[in-house]
Amino acid sequence: MDDYFLKFEDRTPEPPLPYSAPRELLWQSLATVALVVGAWYIEWRWTASLNTEAMWFAVPLAIAETCAYIGMILFVFNLWKDEPIEILAPPSCLNDIAPDHPEGDRPLAVDIMFATYNEDPALVRLGLRDAKKITYPHAIDIRIHVLDDGRRAEMRRIAEAEGVNYITRTTNEGFKAGNLRHAMEQTSGDLLIICDADTRPFPTILENTLGYFNDPKMAWVQTPQWFYDLPEGETLDAALNRRFGQKAAIAGRAIQKVVGPIRIGADPFVSDPKMFYDIIQRRRNWANASFCCGAGSIHRREAVMEAALRSFGAKVETRAHATEEVITVSSKEREIAPDLMDAIRTEAATTEILTPYRFHVSEDIYTSIVMHADRERGWKSKMHPIVESKMLSPQDLLTWTTQRYKYAGGSLDILIHDNPLFRRGLTFPQRMMYATTFYSYLAPIWNVIFLIAPIVYLFTGISPVTAYSDAFFWHLIPFLVTLELAMMAGTWGVPGYAAKASYLSFFPLGLRAITSVLKGSQISFKVTPKVRQSGNFLVLVRPQIAVVVLTVLAGLWALGALAADATPHSATGVVSNILWGFNNCLAMLGIIGAALWLPGAEEGIE
C-alpha cells in the first residue's frame, strides 16, 4: 500500500480562495437581482402559466420549481458573506486559551486521536509518522493516540513501534463516537485533534489553527479535507491522440484553445471538496454556523465535555420525570417521596450514557448542533480556510455510494427526529444555515420531477405550461441568466458544473435515504473503504441509465411526431424540452462514466 501513496507525495493542495471585497459586492448585487427575478418568475408560473387542462402535470412541476427556488434562497443566505483570511498568533501557554486556569503557566497539551476499525495498519502508520512531524513555535505537549476499534495485534505493534499510545475497548458501542468517548475517558489534553485512519496531518496544523482558541468561547475549528490522490485524468488532446491519433489530438488542442483546459477522467466521482469547504463552510463563519466534519477538526475538551454533561443532565431529568409520571398515575398519588425521587434519578443516571460525541451515524454535525445551541456558554466554531491535512478519496462508485448514503441518511435522520429549526438556543442565522444543509438532502424529491418532465412532454405532447410562448421565455430566460451570473460570482474560483450535475444525478440514492428515514429504518454506520472495490458498478446507476435512454427515445419520438404533424407537439416545445433533456443526460452521464471508470497507471494503479 505504501507504494500507492508514494506516487502522490509530490502533490500539494491549492491555496484558499482569496477574499475580495469588490467581488463580494458584485455577488451580493447579482444574488439580490436573481432572487427578485426568480420570485417574479415563480409568481407568474402559479398565476398565469399553468396548463389547466393538464393540472396533474402542471402543478407538480410548479411545486418542484417553487421548492428549488426556496433552496436557492437558502443557498444565497449561506453564501451571502465571506470574511478576510487571517491567521492568528498561536497561544504560548494554557492561560492564553483558558484565562484564570489554575495551571495556566504550563504548556498546552494536545491529544491527536486516530480513530480506526478495519483499515490497513500501514495506512494508519503513515498518519502517525506525519503527526510526529508537527511543529509549534512554543513549548507544547503533543500526545498521539491510536483508537483501535478492531482490537488488532498488528495495529498495537505499529503503535508501539512508532512510540504512540494504543487505546482499544471490548465493544464497538456508538461506533466512531463511542470510540472517541472511550478515548476521552483515558486522556486529558486541553485540545484534541480528530483524525480518521487515512488522515495525514501537515506540520503546520497546530501553528495555524490554535490561535483561534485564544478566544475562550471557541469550541472547535474545522480544517478543509483535501484528497491528495484524486485522479488527475489526461488532457483532451492526449486522450484523443491515444485513441485516434495525431490528427484528433490537433482537433483536441483547438477545442481547448476556445473553451479552456479539458481533462478526461479527472475526479470521476466529483469528490473534490473545495466547493464545500472553501465556499459553503467558509461562508458560514459570519453566522457562527460552520459545523464539524470529523477528520481534521480541533476541539476544546472543556467545550465537548460540558456539552455532553448538559445533554446528559437533561436526559436524566427527562427519564426521571417520565418514571415519576408513570408512578403517580398508577398509585394515584400527587407527589412522590423525596427519597424515592432521588432513587429514580440515580437509576436514570446509571441508565443514560454520557456521550461527548453523539452516538449517531452523523455524529460530527449532530454534536455541532448541540454545542451551537448552548446559548448560555455561547460556544463558537470556525472554518479554517487553509488545508492542514490530506486524506484518501473514494476510489470506486460503491465506496462513493456508501459514503454519500451515510451522509444523506444521517442528516435526514437528524432532520426528522431532532430538527435544528426547532431546537432551543440556536440563533436565527444558525437555524437557516443548518436548514440549508438538511433541505439540500430533500432535493431528490423535486429533482426527479425535473428529470421526468421533458420525457413526459416529448412522449405525449402534453405541456405543463399554457404554451411555450414568448411570455414563457421572457420570464424563464432572465431568471436562468441572472441565477447563473450570481452563482458564478458567488463561487468564483471553483468550477461549478460538475457539482451541479452530481447534485442532480444523486436522486436515486437521495430518494432511498429519504424513504429509509421515513420508514424508521436505522442508517447503519459503515466504514468507508480505503482501497478500490472490485466489480461492475453499472448496477448502481440503473436509474440514471433509464433517464438517459428514456430521454433519447422521447426526443426521437417527438421529432418524428412533429414531422408527421400528428400530435399536439409544438416546434418550440420540442426544441426546449430536448435541450432540457440533453442537460439532464449530461448530468447522468457523469455518474454513469464513474461506474465504468478504471484507474490507469497515471492514477497510481498498474
Side-chain angles (χ1 to χ4, degrees), residues 339-567:
D339 291 347
L340 178 56
M341 197 64 213
D342 289 342
I344 291 172
R345 286 194 174 91
T346 300
E347 176 65 22
T350 57
T351 304
E352 281 295 335
I353 300 173
L354 179 65
T355 54
Y357 293 96
R358 300 299 292 265
F359 285 8
H360 194 270
V361 68
S362 295
E363 84 285 338
D364 39 22
I365 189 172
Y366 206 164
T367 301
S368 301
I369 293 170
V370 172
M371 296 176 70
H372 274 144
D374 189 348
R375 187 72 67 86
E376 183 177 339
R377 286 303 305 266
W379 292 118
K380 298 178 182 179
S381 64
K382 189 74 174 183
M383 180 66 221
H384 176 67
I386 302 173
V387 174
E388 301 290 353
S389 64
K390 57 186 180 182
M391 304 175 66
L392 295 179
S393 65
Q395 298 174 47
D396 57 81
L397 192 64
L398 179 60
T399 300
W400 182 91
T401 298
T402 300
Q403 184 185 75
R404 297 306 170 96
Y405 177 73
K406 182 175 67 175
Y407 293 163
S411 298
L412 290 168
D413 184 76
I414 297 172
L415 176 66
I416 296 297
H417 297 109
D418 198 357
N419 194 325
L421 287 177
F422 306 113
R423 176 179 275 273
R424 296 179 61 185
L426 293 175
T427 64
F428 177 77
Q430 288 172 332
R431 294 177 196 275
M432 292 301 98
M433 293 296 188
Y434 281 117
T436 304
T437 298
F438 296 132
Y439 192 81
S440 69
Y441 285 113
L442 298 175
I445 297 173
W446 47 89
N447 280 346
V448 73
I449 297 176
F450 293 141
L451 294 171
I452 293 173
I455 297 174
V456 171
Y457 174 79
L458 293 171
F459 268 132
T460 67
I462 298 174
S463 173
V465 297
T466 51
Y468 289 100
S469 59
D470 291 345
F472 173 76
F473 293 108
W474 173 246
H475 285 82
L476 175 64
I477 292 176
F479 176 41
L480 295 180
V481 170
T482 55
L483 174 60
E484 188 63 27
L485 289 174
M487 290 300 109
M488 286 174 60
T491 62
W492 190 264
V494 178
Y497 179 77
K500 288 184 286 188
S502 179
Y503 185 65
L504 187 61
S505 64
F506 176 77
F507 77 96
L509 198 62
L511 290 176
R512 182 160 69 90
I514 293 169
T515 302
S516 296
V517 172
L518 290 178
K519 288 167 58 178
S521 302
Q522 183 177 4
I523 305 298
S524 59
F525 184 95
K526 293 183 179 180
V527 177
T528 304
K530 299 300 187 291
V531 295
R532 177 173 172 79
Q533 307 297 294
S534 60
N536 187 324
F537 302 113
L538 279 177
V539 68
L540 299 176
V541 293
R542 284 180 296 186
Q544 291 91 339
I545 293 174
V547 168
V548 173
V549 171
L550 288 173
T551 302
V552 171
L553 291 177
L556 294 174
W557 174 269
L559 289 172
L562 191 63
D565 194 24
T567 70

Side-chain angles (χ1 to χ4, degrees), residues 45-46 49-63 462-464 466:
R45 283 286 287 117
W46 280 105
S49 74
L50 297 182
N51 183 359
T52 56
E53 297 181 359
M55 295 298 278
W56 59 270
F57 187 15
V59 171
L61 182 58
I63 292 174
I462 298 174
S463 173
T466 51

Side-chain angles (χ1 to χ4, degrees), residues 321-333:
H321 286 309
T323 304
E324 178 187 16
E325 184 176 349
V326 171
I327 293 175
T328 54
V329 170
S330 60
S331 66
K332 298 182 179 179
E333 295 287 342

Side-chain angles (χ1 to χ4, degrees), residues 12 74 133 135 138 200 231 239 284 288 293 300 303 348 375 414 442 483 494 563 582:
T12 56
L74 291 171
K133 299 175 184 177
T135 60
H138 309 292
R200 298 181 59 185
R284 294 185 172 200
N288 186 32
C293 301
R300 184 188 296 267
R375 187 72 67 86
I414 297 172
L442 298 175
L483 174 60
V494 178
F582 177 71

